[in-house]
Amino acid sequence: MNKPRIKTMEDLSLAIGVSRPTLSRFFQDPSLVKAKTVAKIEKGLEQVEYVPNFFATRLNRKSTRMIGVIIPYLNDLFFTELLEAVEVAAMDAGLTVITQCSHSDPAIEARAAETFMSMNVDGAIVAPLGDHSDQMVYQRLKSRMPFVLMDSRPKTMPDVDYVGTNHAQSTGLITEYLSRVGGPPVFLAMPRVNFNAVERENGYIAKMNELGLVPEVIGAEFVNENWHFEDHGEAVLAAEFARGRFTDRSILCANDRVAIGALRAASRHGLAPGQLKKGGLRIAGHDDYLLCPYLNPPLTTVAQDTASIGRKAVLRMLQLIRGEVIDDTPEITLFDGNLVVRNSA
Amino acid sequence: MNKPRIKTMEDLSLAIGVSRPTLSRFFQDPSLVKAKTVAKIEKGLEQVEYVPNFFATRLNRKSTRMIGVIIPYLNDLFFTELLEAVEVAAMDAGLTVITQCSHSDPAIEARAAETFMSMNVDGAIVAPLGDHSDQMVYQRLKSRMPFVLMDSRPKTMPDVDYVGTNHAQSTGLITEYLSRVGGPPVFLAMPRVNFNAVERENGYIAKMNELGLVPEVIGAEFVNENWHFEDHGEAVLAAEFARGRFTDRSILCANDRVAIGALRAASRHGLAPGQLKKGGLRIAGHDDYLLCPYLNPPLTTVAQDTASIGRKAVLRMLQLIRGEVIDDTPEITLFDGNLVVRNSA
DNA sequence: TCCCTTTTTTGACACACGTAAACTTTGCAG
DNA sequence: CTGCAAAGTTTACGTGTGTCAAAAAAGGGA
């Protein structure tokens, strides 16, 4: 059971009786080698323990068949969904994914980019940290390799391929729904950690104007830009409820995690969102966080098409890697959100 | 702003006017080079764009300063917490973490292990998939590099270092609490995706016996071993409630995600767990999932010390890498759980 | 059997850097 | 000025594989 361990391809070629270049071709693509020789090699491989050295392999290749992915935050089911979609698509394309997490720290994000450059990855897919990101790092990354932004796009980088959600559409969609089933919705903003925050707010305002309603935004004055969305949502709404405000209104939260906090505030104030008999309070979110169906009440929201976003980001990356891109105008792909009506609104 | 790009250390040494070996030492540890020379090099680096090649760097080193981490599942906040703890600890130790996710597929898990071996990572920390994992892969991994199991431990691998939670203690703790505040708790088992499922069940039974109570387990007969914990919890409990059973009991769920499903079942049946005036139903979980405080009602649970587990796994790994381990008996480290009382029980 | 084509092998160089030994320069005290 | 240690340079070789051209071998048809 304990096979002899062979470290180098050289030694392996001696053990099997095939030349090293032939082995090299075999490991890259067995179809490049005659069937008979393939059989001989495979038989030999069963006798020993050998794994080609990853580094030596990539060192002298034009393409490393690896892509780097940066996400800002691990403990957020939205980003894990996105990452999963990317990983699956990349796996299908035969790419090795190197994942790095910024841990909401621009310095770590910059270091991750540095790592990608030193690894000569074929390209980088980045879900940016937001305002605090070091823009210079992105510029360097872009000048060195194919580069695709995902989920959120800094205004300072209009010339980069981008895949995300059409927030004007998605936010408009749920704004319209809330207006239809209840009174004019209020927008509970989220900490402005990235550019989506503003886009959603604008999407809400635009739709309200279109409907001839007066937009109303709360929670935007909280300036502590962190990722504690739930606490933010609860704090803002608890303060409002304490003053007797918004207890019978439709409240559109900038994302589901804010909405989770909002639901908690409602619960603590004895309010039951979504049930008209207990007053007109409605709470809705945005993203369709994995746990939304299991909240109490289940959260009405707009689903982001994470599967499509992740897949598209990888496909675009492949095009860039293969040089199949003719014009150099950036490709902006926005996927529509889908309304998911549950009990909370 | 666009600095000239230098690819090799050789070229860089020419550009700066310092020998290549000196540069090599500088990049490994600037303190190995005289301050004056350091200044000269750093000044030179500002003029050009150069990043040492990751592969070439690692190729000829005895230690790659990289560790591999495998987690079974991305869309689970428990594992992301664990991963975060590992990444932070590894970063502090100056290690580069290569993360791979099994996506609940043994074949992918095996491939990830293969990647680690070909990368010559210094060691591997694995949160195993469970019963379905290919045990041979673990054996090969262990025979090739320092190997630490985390979170869950296959019974077939008793000779491996392991860091996890003391489930007998943690489950016992909450079993005791539930017995004290209410009637004898029922155990709602989880799909047996890994070995923790059994350990927790046993922990519950042991504590019940100790208390002179009769253990009662439900939900164990569901054999579809997947990761849809919420659906499982809801389905089991909904079926029981429909038969009028357990509506006034304390229900200890095998983990928080099962409990989330249980809460939903309760809500759908008009039950309000944790509030005595509405009957004696209590629901508790295990893990202290990040969202527990925001559930409705907030979930009473036992917190796993993910921060300590992750850190300890890395520290043990460092010991193994440095060869500081004298005896070859495996080190088993179990952290206690902490009771977190909220409103649901 | 001979010739031609397809495979395979051989040898050599490239990749970008680590590492060690021998040698040279530098800095400083006496 | 001499002696000496620390720092830096040169030189050479090692790391495991990719890649290419040329040579050799194998295979197939007449």
Side-chain angles (χ1 to χ4, degrees), chain A residues 24-345:
Chain A
S24 175
R25 285 216 306 274
F26 168 80
F27 281 113
Q28 288 175 58
D29 183 357
S31 77
L32 297 174
V33 176
K34 195 173 48 168
K36 207 164 159 184
T37 313
V38 168
K40 184 176 177 183
I41 294 175
E42 287 179 338
K43 191 179 160 197
L45 280 177
E46 286 173 12
Q47 313 296 322
V48 299
E49 159 115 8
Y50 169 76
V51 185
N53 184 299
F54 193 86
F55 300 130
T57 303
R58 318 294 174 176
L59 185 57
N60 194 23
R61 265 195 201 143
K62 54 258 126 229
S63 162
T64 54
R65 304 294 295 160
M66 305 191 307
I67 61 171
V69 179
I70 300 182
I71 61 172
Y73 206 64
L74 264 176
N75 289 322
D76 188 315
L77 293 176
F78 173 75
F79 287 112
T80 60
E81 273 191 85
L82 208 49
L83 180 55
E84 180 152 327
V86 169
E87 285 196 352
V88 169
M91 207 180 300
D92 289 347
L95 297 173
T96 300
V97 176
I98 305 293
T99 305
Q100 302 269 285
C101 172
S102 320
H103 297 285
S104 57
D105 180 342
I108 300 180
E109 189 182 39
R111 199 188 313 164
E114 209 77 17
T115 302
F116 289 164
M117 291 192 273
S118 79
M119 282 183 158
N120 283 329
V121 297
D122 288 345
I125 298 177
V126 176
L129 211 44
D131 290 312
H132 300 304
S133 289
D134 185 346
Q135 306 298 333
M136 291 298 298
V137 174
Y138 294 159
Q139 295 292 358
R140 281 183 60 206
L141 217 46
K142 177 175 158 55
S143 72
R144 277 181 123 263
M145 61 182 74
F147 184 66
V148 174
L149 281 169
M150 186 173 66
D151 172 58
S152 140
R153 174 176 48 151
K155 285 228 168 53
T156 53
M157 302 208 72
D159 56 338
V160 178
D161 290 310
Y162 170 68
V163 186
T165 287
N166 182 347
H167 287 105
Q169 180 271 343
S170 65
T171 314
L173 191 63
I174 193 154
T175 301
E176 188 167 27
Y177 166 78
L178 290 175
S179 308
R180 201 168 64 235
V181 298
V186 185
F187 189 82
L188 203 172
M190 69 176 170
R192 288 186 171 151
V193 290
N194 61 27
F195 313 90
N196 291 339
V198 182
E199 283 199 25
R200 289 183 194 170
E201 194 173 321
N202 290 340
Y204 159 78
I205 293 174
K207 175 58 76 173
M208 290 295 276
N209 288 333
E210 180 190 324
L211 294 172
L213 300 172
V214 181
E216 199 171 352
V217 176
I218 60 175
E221 67 281 2
F222 279 52
V223 287
N224 58 332
E225 301 176 1
N226 60 34
W227 291 81
H228 300 137
F229 295 135
E230 295 89 354
D231 290 342
H232 170 75
E234 181 176 4
V236 172
L237 217 49
E240 299 288 359
F241 287 161
R243 288 187 283 170
R245 295 168 53 175
F246 301 117
T247 57
D248 59 350
R249 294 288 297 276
S250 293
I251 298 170
L252 173 56
C253 302
N255 71 29
D256 286 343
R257 291 181 57 190
V258 172
I260 287 172
L263 285 179
R264 193 188 195 202
S267 164
R268 292 201 162 178
H269 279 258
L271 298 166
Q275 305 183 8
L276 269 178
K277 53 183 172 180
K278 296 213 180 185
L281 181 63
R282 288 184 169 83
I283 292 178
H286 190 294
D287 291 354
D288 199 23
Y289 218 65
L290 272 176
L291 286 178
C292 285
Y294 304 101
L295 296 172
N296 186 10
L299 189 67
T300 294
T301 187
V302 198
Q304 284 200 61
D305 192 351
T306 52
S308 295
I309 295 175
R311 192 181 329 113
K312 174 65 187 177
V314 172
L315 292 180
R316 178 62 178 173
M317 176 58 68
L318 283 171
Q319 285 186 329
L320 292 171
I321 291 173
R322 294 182 188 135
E324 293 171 3
V325 181
I326 359 157
D327 57 353
D328 59 347
T329 61
E331 186 186 69
I332 313 294
T333 310
L334 301 180
F335 288 93
D336 279 355
N338 292 305
L339 189 64
V340 182
V341 176
R342 299 200 177 91
N343 295 354
S344 73

Side-chain angles (χ1 to χ4, degrees), chain B residues 45-65:
Chain B
L45 280 177
E46 286 174 12
Q47 313 296 323
V48 299
E49 159 115 9
Y50 169 77
V51 186
N53 184 299
F54 193 86
F55 299 130
T57 303
R58 269 44 178 191
L59 187 56
N60 193 22
R61 263 193 201 146
K62 54 262 134 222
S63 161
T64 55
R65 304 293 296 159

Side-chain angles (χ1 to χ4, degrees), chain B residues 7-25:
Chain B
K7 286 194 64 180
T8 80
M9 208 179 259
E10 188 79 47
D11 293 347
L12 184 66
S13 75
L14 258 58
I16 297 190
V18 181
S19 77
R20 193 181 62 74
T22 301
L23 283 179
S24 176
R25 285 213 307 271

